[in-house]
Amino acid sequence: MGLVDRGRMPAPLTKLFNMGRSYSMWVYQWGLACCAIEMGAAFGSPRYDVMRLGVIPLPASPRQADLVVVSGTVTDKMAPAVKRLYEQMPEPKYVISMGSCANCGGPYWDSYSVTKGVDQIIPVDVYVPGCPPRPEALLEGIVLLQQRIKNEDMAAKWRNEEFTTLQKTAALQQAEARPAPEPIVVGGGPIE
Amino acid sequence: MTMLNERQQLSYIAAQAADARLNVELETEGMTLNIGPQHPATHGTLRIIARLDGEQVVWAEPVAGYMHRGYEKLTEVRSFPQVTTLINRIDWLGSFANEVPFILAAEQLMEIEAPPRAQYIRTILFELSRIANVSLFLGDLGVQMGAITPVFMAFRDREYVLNLIEGATGGRFHPNFDRIGGLKDDLPKGWIAETKQVMKKLRQFCDEIEDLLFGNEIFQSRTRGVGIIPADVAKSYGLSGANLRASGVDWDLRRDQSLPMAWDQADFKVWTHPDGDSWARCWIRLQETREATKIVDQLIDNIPAGPVMAKVPRIIKVPEGEAWVSTENPLGEMGYYVVSKGDLGPFRVKIRSASFNNISITPWVLKGVYVPDIITILASLYFILGDIDR
C-alpha cells in the first residue's frame, strides 16, 4: 500500500480496491437499546439476511471491524466506552448511527442522562432515522455507505481529507493542470 | 521423640523450606474479570465485575446505569397520553405490555373502564408481545451456549408475531396503541384468521426448540443444577415472573389479581418447577410461550362486539390521587405508581420494573460458580437493560 501512502494511486486500482472493500465489510454490532433488536433482525434473521450484501456481521472484536453500527441510546455514562471502541477500530473505518436516539437523542431529547447524538463523540457517515428503523432501513443505510466507499479516493482519505470522492480529486487535478491565468494589470503592459 | 543427628536435622529443615517455597510459588492471586459494558452475552449494556479465584467466582456485582435514560423524571414533563410513547421503550421486546399497567392506573384515577372489546384486544396484544419477547429469549439461549441455529429460528418465527402486531397497531416494535379509555383503533380485517395460523406456527416453533435445544445433552449438562435459587431466597430478593415460578412459587398476577383485562375469561395453566436451576427457568419460559398462544387462541374467538373506546374528554386531565397497578409482564411484575395532582401530566411516576429486581440476585447466585456458568446463569435470569435502568 505504499502507493496509497505517497498519495499516488491509479484510478483503476482505486476502483478495484474500493469494490473489494465495499463488498467485504465486517460490521461490529454496537447494540445499545431497542434498535439493537432490529439490527439483530437485519443481521441475524433469515428474512433480511445482510450477508447477501457482502457484509459480515460477526467480528470478534472492534479491532477486526471496518464498520460499526451504533444502534440505540448513547448515555453519558456509555459515551466514553463508545469513543474507546471507535479508537480501537483500524483505519479506514465507518460509522452508521441507527435510530433517533443515536442521531439526536430521539424521545429523550430533554433527558439529563442521554447524549444528544453520537456524532458529538465520533464522526458519523450514515444516519438511519426511525424509532426504531425497520431492518430494511438499516440495509438501505449500508447500501448507501457501500456506494460511498466505491466512490472514495483512497489517497485523499489517507491524508485525512473530508468528503473524498474520485470526482472531486479529478476536478482538483484538472484545475491544477490548467495554466494559471496571467495577471491583469490596469494600464496595460507588465510591470518591470 | 527420636534423637536426630545434625545431618538429619539439617535435611529436615531444608525439606520444610522447600515446601514453604513451593507453597508460595503455587499460591494463586485473585483476578478481577470485567464483563461489559458492551458484551453480546449481557443483552445490552450491563457490566459485571467478577473477582475470580482460579476458575471460580468469589464475588460478583452488576453495574447498572449504562442505559439510564431518566424515565421517572421525563414523565413529569410529559402529558398523560405522551407518557405511553416513552414507556413503550422500557422493556423494548414486549412493548405493548409496558403500556397496559400505566394506562390502567390512569383509568383507575379517572374512574373509567375500557369497553369489553378493548379489554379483549388489549389482552391479546399483551400476550402477543409476551410471545415476541420470550421467543427471542428461547433463541438467544442457544447463542449463549454456542448454538447459533436457534436464534435464526427465533428471528424467523418472531417476524410473524411482529407482523401481527404491526397489522393491528401500525408499529412493528413500539405500538403506542393504548389510549386512556380504550384503544386507538379496532382490529383490521382478516387479522383474526391470520393470528390463528401464526399461533399454530409458534407452537411448532416451541416444539422445535424443545427438541433441538432442551433435549440437547450439552444444553442440559450446562444448565441442570447450575445457578440454583431456593424459593425463600428468590422471594427475599423480590424476583418475579418466570424466575420466581422456576423456584416453585406459584405466583402469577394474571390469575391472582382482578384487573379490567380478559385473562379471567381464558383457561390457562401457571407452570411451576421445583428445581430452581437455570434449566427450570428456561423450561418455564418455554411453557409460558405455549400457554400464551393458547390464551390468544381462546380469546380471539370470543371477542365481544362493541366500541373500542370509552367516552373520554378531549383534553385528558387526570383527577388528583394515587394509583398502583402492576401486571405480569413477560419479564415479571411490572407496576406503575402514579401520583396525579389534577394536571395534564403526572406529578410523579414510580416504575417498578421486573429486571431490576431479577438482576439484583446476581451477587448471590454467581458466588462460587465457574466462569462459563456466569453466561448461562445470566441468560437464564433473562433481563433487558432498558428494564433495569429505565
Side-chain angles (χ1 to χ4, degrees):
Chain A
M1 301 300 275
L3 279 174
V4 188
D5 248 348
R6 290 198 293 277
R8 262 183 260 140
M9 187 77 167
L13 204 57
T14 304
K15 277 188 180 161
L16 194 68
F17 272 140
N18 282 351
M19 195 125 95
R21 283 195 306 143
S22 61
Y23 290 128
S24 63
M25 271 200 289
W26 287 71
V27 184
Y28 191 72
Q29 307 182 26
W30 189 253
L32 293 167
C34 332
C35 295
I37 311 296
E38 288 295 64
M39 182 176 66
F43 289 169
S45 96
R47 186 180 287 191
Y48 302 106
D49 186 21
V50 79
M51 285 202 200
R52 73 202 149 103
L53 300 175
V55 172
I56 303 145
L58 302 162
S61 128
R63 289 168 211 277
Q64 299 173 351
D66 305 310
L67 163 67
V68 62
V69 180
V70 180
S71 55
T73 321
V74 184
T75 55
D76 289 347
K77 191 171 179 179
M78 197 66 193
V82 175
K83 188 163 173 53
R84 192 160 174 193
L85 158 105
Y86 181 74
E87 283 162 359
Q88 283 176 353
M89 284 168 63
E91 286 275 2
K93 50 194 174 186
Y94 303 92
V95 179
I96 290 182
S97 150
M98 181 187 184
S100 307
C101 295
N103 289 351
C104 65
Y108 317 108
W109 57 275
D110 51 351
S111 169
Y112 55 83
S113 57
V114 173
T115 308
K116 313 300 181 298
V118 74
D119 50 4
Q120 294 182 9
I121 318 163
I122 56 177
V124 175
D125 290 281
V126 178
Y127 296 90
V128 182
C131 189
R134 297 179 67 91
E136 292 97 329
L138 178 62
L139 296 193
E140 198 196 343
I142 287 174
V143 169
L144 287 174
L145 183 69
Q146 282 176 337
Q147 283 175 5
R148 186 173 169 169
I149 291 173
K150 267 190 239 169
N151 216 6
E152 211 168 47
D153 186 357
M154 283 175 84
K157 172 104 182 162
W158 191 270
R159 292 193 299 269
N160 265 335
E161 284 175 21
E162 270 192 32
F163 305 116
T164 55
T165 59
L166 286 172
Q167 287 89 339
K168 193 183 164 190
T169 314
L172 284 176
Q173 278 170 358
Q174 229 176 19
E176 271 175 28
R178 218 177 290 144
E182 282 180 14
I184 301 163
V185 180
V186 181
I191 301 164
E192 291 186 3
Chain B
M1 197 178 165
T2 51
M3 288 295 289
L4 299 169
N5 59 23
E6 201 173 315
R7 197 190 162 126
Q8 275 173 328
Q9 274 180 357
L10 276 176
S11 69
Y12 179 75
I13 291 166
Q16 289 281 312
D19 263 7
R21 245 193 336 268
L22 195 67
N23 282 343
V24 168
E25 276 166 17
L26 285 184
E27 200 169 70
T28 51
E29 257 180 45
M31 182 187 136
T32 308
L33 178 69
N34 177 51
I35 307 175
Q38 215 279 345
H39 191 269
T42 57
H43 306 267
T45 55
L46 184 73
R47 182 172 162 215
I48 289 187
I49 302 168
R51 204 168 291 156
L52 310 176
D53 177 22
E55 190 80 349
Q56 261 184 330
V57 178
V58 182
W59 171 93
E61 199 168 283
V63 183
Y66 284 95
M67 198 32 63
H68 177 66
R69 293 155 291 178
Y71 270 100
E72 294 184 3
K73 197 71 194 166
L74 285 183
T75 49
E76 292 172 16
V77 290
R78 302 279 199 274
S79 68
F80 271 94
Q82 284 173 341
V83 171
T84 52
T85 319
L86 277 182
I87 60 179
N88 261 320
R89 289 157 178 79
I90 292 180
D91 160 17
W92 45 68
L93 283 174
S95 303
F96 188 84
N98 296 331
E99 301 173 10
V100 172
F102 178 79
I103 291 289
L104 289 179
E107 283 175 357
Q108 219 178 68
L109 284 173
M110 288 179 77
E111 291 172 356
I112 50 173
E113 199 166 280
R117 188 177 173 82
Q119 290 177 16
Y120 267 73
I121 297 173
R122 256 183 207 174
T123 316
I124 290 167
L125 287 172
F126 196 106
E127 293 302 319
L128 283 181
S129 66
R130 183 189 306 279
I131 295 167
N133 190 331
V134 181
S135 62
L136 192 62
F137 160 78
L138 293 172
D140 205 36
L141 202 57
V143 175
Q144 316 287 347
M145 288 162 215
I148 305 280
T149 320
V151 81
F152 292 135
M153 285 158 58
F155 269 121
R156 180 195 66 197
D157 287 335
R158 194 170 165 272
E159 285 292 327
Y160 298 119
V161 184
L162 289 185
N163 278 0
L164 284 181
I165 295 175
E166 189 182 6
T169 66
R172 198 178 123 86
F173 229 68
H174 298 312
N176 198 16
F177 194 55
D178 254 338
R179 299 286 184 269
I180 293 172
L183 293 169
K184 180 179 164 282
D185 237 329
D186 210 335
L187 292 178
K189 213 174 167 186
W191 194 81
I192 289 174
E194 205 190 320
T195 308
K196 281 183 186 164
Q197 283 182 353
V198 170
M199 288 305 112
K200 252 181 233 162
K201 266 182 202 155
L202 259 293
R203 276 194 287 273
Q204 273 174 15
F205 162 74
C206 287
D207 294 344
E208 264 179 338
I209 285 280
E210 187 161 26
D211 285 350
L212 193 74
L213 198 63
F214 285 69
N216 189 317
E217 211 172 303
I218 301 169
F219 179 81
Q220 292 206 0
S221 60
R222 286 201 63 184
T223 50
R224 276 215 192 258
V226 172
I228 297 172
I229 304 174
D232 51 333
V233 177
K235 273 186 202 165
S236 65
Y237 273 95
L239 295 202
S240 53
N243 292 335
L244 185 62
R245 287 193 285 276
S247 298
V249 183
D250 192 12
W251 185 81
D252 192 323
L253 284 172
R254 288 178 288 178
R255 183 198 57 194
D256 303 341
Q257 207 180 21
S258 74
L259 283 172
M261 297 282 278
W263 281 307
D264 48 352
Q265 310 295 324
D267 176 35
F268 62 97
K269 183 171 163 54
V270 177
W271 291 89
T272 56
H273 201 283
D275 284 1
D277 54 1
S278 293
W279 199 85
R281 289 191 282 275
C282 303
W283 183 82
I284 291 279
R285 291 211 171 83
L286 179 73
Q287 297 300 335
E288 259 180 23
T289 317
R290 284 184 174 143
E291 289 302 320
T293 59
K294 281 176 200 161
I295 293 173
V296 172
D297 267 353
Q298 287 171 31
L299 291 182
I300 207 149
D301 284 330
N302 309 320
I303 302 179
V308 291
M309 193 75 187
K311 282 214 160 181
V312 177
R314 220 192 176 124
I315 294 167
I316 289 170
K317 274 192 179 176
V318 175
E320 216 173 302
E322 296 170 10
W324 160 259
V325 173
S326 62
T327 51
E328 183 73 27
N329 271 41
L331 297 164
E333 183 191 1
M334 179 170 211
Y336 293 85
Y337 188 78
V338 183
V339 182
S340 176
K341 293 268 179 188
D343 289 334
L344 289 173
F347 176 72
R348 173 89 169 86
V349 176
K350 162 80 182 90
I351 305 167
R352 191 262 188 222
S353 59
S355 292
F356 185 71
N357 288 59
N358 287 352
I359 201 69
S360 68
I361 202 171
T362 46
W364 189 89
V365 75
L366 289 184
K367 205 169 272 180
V369 302
Y370 291 98
V371 173
D373 291 341
I374 298 178
I375 305 299
T376 56
I377 290 171
L378 285 181
S380 75
L381 277 175
Y382 193 36
F383 48 86
I384 284 171
L385 255 290
D387 207 32
I388 295 175
D389 293 336
R390 286 149 359 235

